Amino acid sequence: MVDAFTEHRPLLFTIAYEMLGSATDAEDVLQESYLRWSAVDQAAVGHPRAYLVRVVTRQALNHLRAVKARREEYVGTWLPEPIRTAPEVSEDVILSESVSMAMMLVLETLNPAERAVFVLHDVFGYTHGEIAASIGKTEVTVRQIAHRARRHVHARRRRFEPDSAATREIVQRFLHATTTGEVQALMDLLAPDVVQVSDGGGKVSAARHPITGRADVARFVLGVARTSVTATTRIEHATYNGMPAARSLTDGELDWLLAFEIHDGQITGLYVMRNPDKLHRADAVRLLNRGERQPWKP
């Protein structure tokens, strides 16, 4: 018989990751939650899935409050820890958008309670009453939080297309243009208001602030390509956070990761991860799951 925690682990990881924006922190939350699960009389738990979701939610909320101050002191621009996702994630529009870099950055601007309520309600479909029981607030309060969070997110969300054959073709053209130095070809792929965000975490060289605009982003990308792409560099296509991406490896070691936000055939966002602390787990494909909608109570 499969243990309930193992059975629901993809769902639990997805909730924790969307609440925290860090696969490492999500794994810590799952470890803490598993210890709590192991300590209870599991035979007395009527609805293991509901119980585990509540435990993970509470642990993630505690963790999120603890790391908020640390992220405010982050060197340079903070990006979510990228997770390698299976192509099937792109088939679930809600899931692929919710784990995209753009959405994760929007979620980062919410306070912990707003983030928990938005993720559980708008992504996973739990009712306000179910969420209230999980985070220790009244249903009326949760409704107010949900309204405030949804309005905030909708005002800032960016449209993008998930990984597909069409977006991968655009990525291929982008990589060809940057490695060959074809300025016009690169400019044609970039949207006028394209934004490029880099995360080096103060550990490696990276742009400290976002770069905006087609000309400035093209200039920066071409400059980086001239200095970082060598004869031993291997660039691979991949899917990260439900988005088309490229990985750069030198002598088998992952140097950087680039996720592409694409809309209407143009690149609207480039997310560059160089922080080695966020790349050391970037090879493993993460199983994500929103779970079948089931009530927390009979």
Side-chain angles (χ1 to χ4, degrees), residues 21-39:
S22 165
T24 301
D25 289 346
E27 291 289 358
D28 289 343
V29 163
L30 260 61
Q31 179 62 28
E32 294 165 3
S33 300
Y34 180 75
L35 292 176
R36 291 173 180 270
W37 172 246
S38 301

Side-chain angles (χ1 to χ4, degrees), residues 231-290:
T232 60
T233 300
R234 185 174 84 255
I235 298 178
E236 302 174 341
H237 288 273
T239 304
Y240 279 84
N241 293 72
M243 308 169 72
R247 296 156 37 94
S248 174
L249 299 98
T250 301
D251 298 324
E253 293 292 325
L254 185 60
D255 293 325
W256 51 258
L257 178 67
L258 176 58
F260 295 80
E261 184 179 84
I262 297 172
H263 181 59
D264 285 343
Q266 287 191 307
I267 298 169
T268 57
L270 292 168
Y271 302 90
V272 186
M273 179 56 66
R274 294 213 63 217
N275 186 344
D277 292 343
K278 296 183 182 181
L279 290 175
H280 73 288
R281 294 188 179 187
D283 285 327
V285 175
R286 300 282 182 171
L287 297 178
L288 302 182
N289 191 338
R290 287 197 300 134

Side-chain angles (χ1 to χ4, degrees), residues 100-154:
S100 70
M101 286 287 178
M103 180 59 78
M104 296 294 280
L105 285 175
V106 173
L107 293 179
E108 192 67 17
T109 64
L110 300 175
N111 66 42
E114 289 171 340
R115 186 164 186 167
V117 170
F118 180 85
V119 166
L120 289 174
H121 185 271
D122 284 50
V123 179
F124 295 91
Y126 291 114
T127 69
H128 297 119
E130 291 167 340
I131 298 169
S134 180
I135 67 173
K137 296 183 181 295
T138 67
E139 184 173 345
V140 171
T141 299
V142 167
R143 286 182 182 277
Q144 294 171 341
I145 293 172
H147 176 72
R148 186 169 66 243
R150 190 176 302 110
R151 183 176 57 193
H152 181 95
V153 170
H154 288 185

Side-chain angles (χ1 to χ4, degrees), residues 83-213:
I83 53 172
R84 193 168 190 174
T85 50
E88 300 82 67
V89 168
S90 302
E91 298 172 6
D92 184 335
V93 177
I94 294 176
L95 179 59
S96 61
E97 180 186 26
S98 68
V99 298
S100 70
M101 286 287 178
M103 180 59 78
M104 296 294 280
L105 285 175
V106 173
L107 293 179
E108 192 67 17
T109 64
L110 300 175
N111 66 42
E114 289 171 340
R115 186 164 186 167
V117 170
F118 180 85
V119 166
L120 289 174
H121 185 271
D122 284 50
V123 179
F124 295 91
Y126 291 114
T127 69
H128 297 119
E130 291 167 340
I131 298 169
S134 180
I135 67 173
K137 296 183 181 295
T138 67
E139 184 173 345
V140 171
T141 299
V142 167
R143 286 182 182 277
Q144 294 171 341
I145 293 172
H147 176 72
R148 186 169 66 243
R150 190 176 302 110
R151 183 176 57 193
H152 181 95
V153 170
H154 288 185
R156 292 163 176 79
R157 75 197 312 166
R158 293 167 62 94
R159 298 185 65 185
F160 85 104
E161 298 165 25
D163 188 33
S164 66
T167 57
R168 285 193 292 273
E169 193 270 335
I170 292 173
V171 170
Q172 180 58 43
R173 288 164 55 196
F174 171 90
L175 295 174
H176 178 78
T178 55
T179 54
T180 58
E182 298 178 23
V183 179
Q184 190 57 53
L186 178 59
M187 294 277 282
D188 290 343
L189 291 170
L190 300 175
D193 58 349
V194 62
V195 178
Q196 186 264 322
V197 185
S198 301
D199 182 342
K203 307 284 180 72
V204 296
S205 176
R208 290 288 184 93
H209 304 285
I211 300 172
T212 60

